Amino acid sequence: MSKIKTVAVVGGTHGNEFSGIYLLRKWQQSAALARDSFSVETVFANPKAHNDNKRYVDHDLNRQFSLADLANNELASYEQSRAKAINQQIGPKGDAKVDFIIDLHNTTSNMGPSLILLQSDRFNRQLGAYVKMHMPNAVIVLEDHTSVEQHHFLSSIAPQGVIVEIGPQPQSVIRQDVLDWMDEMTKHILDFVHLYNTDELLPLIPSYEAFRYHETLSLPLDEQGQRIGMVHRSVQDNDFEPLHSGDPIFTLFDGSEVFWKGDYEAFPHFINEAAYYDNNLAMSLAKKVQISTLD
Amino acid sequence: MSKIKTVAVVGGTHGNEFSGIYLLRKWQQSAALARDSFSVETVFANPKAHNDNKRYVDHDLNRQFSLADLANNELASYEQSRAKAINQQIGPKGDAKVDFIIDLHNTTSNMGPSLILLQSDRFNRQLGAYVKMHMPNAVIVLEDHTSVEQHHFLSSIAPQGVIVEIGPQPQSVIRQDVLDWMDEMTKHILDFVHLYNTDELLPLIPSYEAFRYHETLSLPLDEQGQRIGMVHRSVQDNDFEPLHSGDPIFTLFDGSEVFWKGDYEAFPHFINEAAYYDNNLAMSLAKKVQISTLD
């Protein structure tokens, strides 16, 4: 992989995830993002949704960046148009002006400082190792189950892109602990890119634990599509803790419990994320994997 | 005070505070709210805001119930009209059909199961004692700084009304722990009313600790009214823990700290409540008081 010459740091892709928006304002007052070996631009992705204090106005902006959707001019809602404008500004996807994107997000789930990688090539595997070495409480999540072309995330515009996903933070709130984690993780990522560019990377840990996305679970619904239950209290807040077949996973409003019937050791995350209620999603499940930095 | 013949249990006064809304649905399937000595009706206060997954459509519904505003026909936004309709249904304030209102709320703040009393007469003081005796983690908050006539809360329509305020819960989320606390506290309140009506109250604790609202603090703002800081990490989540003069209270985005300069021992609550960002409010401060049930 060639050197990274241009980086975009994106905040406010979701208008009610405040940490990235406030960090952009803070960083614009300083040289905190600057590194010698590449240029950095900042993008405030969805100012209208932020102004309305909402995740999005018409559609989730962070689902509008598949190659097919970007090419489809009939998709013309506010966020669908905004996606095309951002793609013009820092893309276009497939031939982007920007080499690397850091997209800043918050979750209401208890995921701590999480780094979501869209690919598992050597660059990403090394990046995950570097972040874990410098920030031991960081969690590395792999969402490499689909190709970058197919990915509909904003960070898929560039050949390389990651999502910094920090929680727990309610929508429309700024928590200092969450802000500080996002600030710190972003700086480690930029440091890594600089060291990568200048061939100054010191030896990395040979391998580390990460969580590879596997599937998404829905909340229990009745035949009319109404929710009839909630995430079980023994699962709530236990993001990245193991879940086994037979463990309670939902409590129905009638008091009965639902047990998980999977055939693998699952690691729930995005547990009870507020923004996923639109789609009645309860959580994502991952499998634990060992990531090698040697090959 | 005469017996309580009619009780209204209200949920969804704020559309994105989910616990009360889902409990109303649950209770409607059972006799959980029924007691022999009074009748109970349930009110889903703001279904339109819930449908929009927002706190309110035009104005905060729970600020529309002062006598003056209820009488002002020029106040005709969605919530201002809804307030008049609810006042007609269970009021009118000053001569209400309903004797007692329980209004169910959530907060994003770490307030645990809190019971907000609007008056400190013998009925309310005994109610607080009963709830604390049966639910030791309950917190009693007094908002008796203004008369019931002046209060703009929905629960001020009836001669007696309380707010059940449970957190932490992000907006638009159902947490089982928070739902269970709200369910339990509501049942204790109804039990108390029944025992009060039937003169069957057993001796109460002679006194208990409560928190009387004193003042509200705003977030640090610049001259343009933009936020320049956040709640200090040492205060975040420490609702009802003491704050003394000289303690850090805010961190500015430039990294500097702001210290509290009050001349009393304060007990912050509603710390970093998401819904108060509209008004740039940071927290409420209370003074600790001892409530006697003997006089």
Side-chain angles (χ1 to χ4, degrees):
Chain A
M1 206 187 96
S2 53
K3 307 299 182 196
I4 284 173
K5 301 192 191 76
T6 322
V7 174
V9 179
V10 182
T13 298
H14 294 132
N16 55 12
E17 298 177 7
F18 278 17
S19 303
I21 296 166
Y22 279 85
L23 280 175
L24 286 191
R25 289 185 198 167
K26 172 182 163 178
W27 290 330
Q28 282 157 1
Q29 313 296 318
S30 76
L33 301 183
R35 301 290 184 280
D36 286 341
S37 65
F38 55 85
S39 67
V40 179
E41 69 177 296
T42 58
V43 178
F44 184 7
N46 199 337
K48 190 160 189 281
H50 179 58
N51 202 48
D52 291 355
N53 197 14
K54 293 180 359 186
R55 182 175 173 89
Y56 55 81
V57 178
D58 294 320
H59 292 97
D60 190 328
L61 177 59
N62 206 31
R63 304 291 183 270
Q64 306 305 325
F65 293 91
S66 74
L67 263 185
D69 287 351
L70 288 169
N72 182 349
N73 287 320
E74 292 186 14
L75 301 179
S77 74
Y78 174 69
E79 276 84 7
Q80 289 164 343
S81 302
R82 188 80 192 114
K84 291 172 175 70
I86 293 168
N87 190 48
Q88 187 173 332
Q89 182 185 347
I90 61 175
K93 186 167 175 171
D95 184 28
K97 289 180 273 295
V98 161
D99 301 314
F100 182 57
I101 293 172
I102 305 172
D103 193 18
L104 305 173
H105 286 260
N106 292 123
T107 173
T108 67
S109 306
N110 189 28
M111 286 173 60
S114 295
L115 174 62
I116 302 178
L117 306 175
L118 307 189
Q119 299 174 72
S120 48
D121 60 2
R122 187 173 169 82
F123 174 81
N124 279 276
R125 285 182 279 118
Q126 291 192 331
L127 168 59
Y130 183 89
V131 168
K132 273 197 86 74
M133 289 167 68
H134 290 83
M135 197 172 178
N137 62 337
V139 179
I140 310 300
V141 178
L142 282 170
E143 295 205 10
D144 59 348
H145 52 284
T146 186
S147 69
V148 173
E149 291 71 34
Q150 300 274 331
H151 254 306
H152 47 199
F153 296 143
L154 189 152
S155 49
S156 74
I157 295 177
Q160 294 288 354
V162 297
I163 297 171
V164 170
E165 183 75 73
I166 321 267
Q169 180 169 274
Q171 295 172 341
S172 313
V173 163
I174 308 170
R175 286 181 64 105
Q176 187 181 357
D177 51 359
V178 167
L179 192 92
D180 288 352
W181 278 338
M182 185 179 279
D183 196 349
E184 184 187 349
M185 185 179 278
T186 304
K187 289 175 180 174
H188 291 316
I189 295 169
L190 294 172
D191 287 344
F192 170 82
V193 172
H194 177 68
L195 297 170
Y196 174 89
N197 276 344
T198 56
D199 292 320
E200 293 175 294
L201 266 180
L202 296 176
L204 297 166
I205 44 176
S207 75
Y208 59 96
E209 183 179 274
F211 298 93
R212 175 169 275 142
Y213 170 81
H214 186 66
E215 61 176 318
T216 301
L217 298 189
S218 293
L219 289 162
L221 304 176
D222 66 14
E223 287 168 5
Q224 287 76 46
Q226 295 294 306
R227 283 190 283 275
I228 56 169
M230 57 193 158
V231 171
H232 195 279
R233 63 191 312 152
S234 69
V235 175
Q236 178 71 45
D237 299 333
N238 285 329
D239 297 73
F240 303 115
E241 295 294 324
L243 181 76
H244 299 106
S245 184
D247 288 345
I249 188 159
F250 300 119
T251 304
L252 304 188
F253 297 128
D254 68 10
S256 60
E257 295 180 314
V258 176
F259 302 89
W260 190 58
K261 299 275 190 266
D263 61 356
Y264 64 102
E265 187 182 51
F267 292 83
H269 55 294
F270 285 117
I271 296 170
N272 226 349
E273 159 59 45
Y276 295 168
Y277 270 55
D278 282 11
N279 300 322
N280 290 312
L281 302 182
M283 69 192 74
S284 298
L285 298 184
K287 293 183 176 180
K288 192 189 281 190
V289 291
Q290 278 301 120
I291 303 295
S292 169
T293 58
L294 297 179
D295 54 343
Chain B
M1 207 186 96
S2 53
K3 306 299 182 197
I4 285 173
K5 301 193 192 76
T6 322
V7 174
V9 179
V10 182
T13 300
H14 294 132
N16 55 12
E17 298 178 4
F18 277 18
S19 304
I21 297 166
Y22 278 85
L23 280 175
L24 287 191
R25 289 185 198 167
K26 173 182 162 178
W27 290 329
Q28 281 157 2
Q29 312 297 318
S30 76
L33 301 184
R35 302 289 183 282
D36 287 340
S37 65
F38 56 85
S39 68
V40 179
E41 69 177 297
T42 57
V43 178
F44 184 8
N46 199 338
K48 192 161 189 279
H50 179 59
N51 202 47
D52 291 357
N53 197 13
K54 293 182 351 188
R55 181 173 175 89
Y56 55 81
V57 177
D58 294 320
H59 292 98
D60 190 328
L61 177 59
N62 206 30
R63 303 291 182 272
Q64 306 305 325
F65 292 91
S66 74
L67 264 184
D69 286 352
L70 288 169
N72 183 348
N73 286 320
E74 292 185 14
L75 301 178
S77 74
Y78 175 69
E79 276 83 7
Q80 288 162 346
S81 302
R82 187 81 192 114
K84 292 172 175 70
I86 293 169
N87 190 50
Q88 186 173 333
Q89 182 184 346
I90 60 175
K93 184 167 176 171
D95 183 28
K97 288 180 272 297
V98 161
D99 300 314
F100 182 58
I101 294 173
I102 305 171
D103 192 19
L104 305 172
H105 286 261
N106 292 122
T107 173
T108 66
S109 306
N110 188 29
M111 285 173 60
S114 295
L115 175 62
I116 301 177
L117 307 175
L118 306 190
Q119 299 174 72
S120 48
D121 60 2
R122 187 173 166 82
F123 174 82
N124 279 276
R125 284 182 280 119
Q126 291 192 332
L127 169 59
Y130 184 89
V131 168
K132 273 195 86 76
M133 288 167 68
H134 290 83
M135 197 172 178
N137 62 338
V139 179
I140 310 299
V141 178
L142 283 170
E143 296 206 10
D144 59 348
H145 53 285
T146 187
S147 70
V148 172
E149 290 71 35
Q150 300 274 330
H151 253 307
H152 47 200
F153 296 142
L154 189 152
S155 49
S156 74
I157 294 177
Q160 294 287 356
V162 297
I163 298 172
V164 170
E165 183 75 73
I166 320 267
Q169 181 168 275
Q171 296 172 341
S172 312
V173 162
I174 308 169
R175 286 182 64 105
Q176 188 182 355
D177 51 0
V178 167
L179 193 92
D180 288 351
W181 278 337
M182 185 178 280
D183 196 349
E184 184 186 350
M185 185 179 276
T186 304
K187 289 175 180 173
H188 291 316
I189 295 169
L190 293 172
D191 287 344
F192 170 82
V193 172
H194 177 67
L195 296 171
Y196 173 90
N197 277 343
T198 55
D199 292 320
E200 294 176 293
L201 265 181
L202 296 177
L204 297 166
I205 43 175
S207 75
Y208 59 96
E209 183 178 275
F211 298 92
R212 176 169 272 142
Y213 170 81
H214 186 66
E215 62 177 317
T216 301
L217 298 188
S218 293
L219 289 162
L221 305 175
D222 66 14
E223 288 169 2
Q224 287 76 46
Q226 294 294 306
R227 283 190 284 276
I228 57 170
M230 57 193 157
V231 170
H232 194 280
R233 64 191 310 153
S234 69
V235 175
Q236 178 72 46
D237 299 334
N238 285 328
D239 296 73
F240 302 114
E241 295 295 325
L243 181 75
H244 299 105
S245 184
D247 287 345
I249 188 159
F250 299 118
T251 304
L252 304 188
F253 297 128
D254 68 9
S256 60
E257 295 178 316
V258 175
F259 301 90
W260 189 58
K261 299 275 190 266
D263 61 356
Y264 63 102
E265 186 182 51
F267 292 84
H269 55 294
F270 285 118
I271 296 170
N272 225 352
E273 159 59 44
Y276 296 169
Y277 271 55
D278 282 11
N279 300 320
N280 290 311
L281 302 182
M283 67 192 75
S284 298
L285 298 184
K287 292 182 177 181
K288 193 191 281 189
V289 291
Q290 278 300 119
I291 303 295
S292 169
T293 59
L294 297 179
D295 54 342

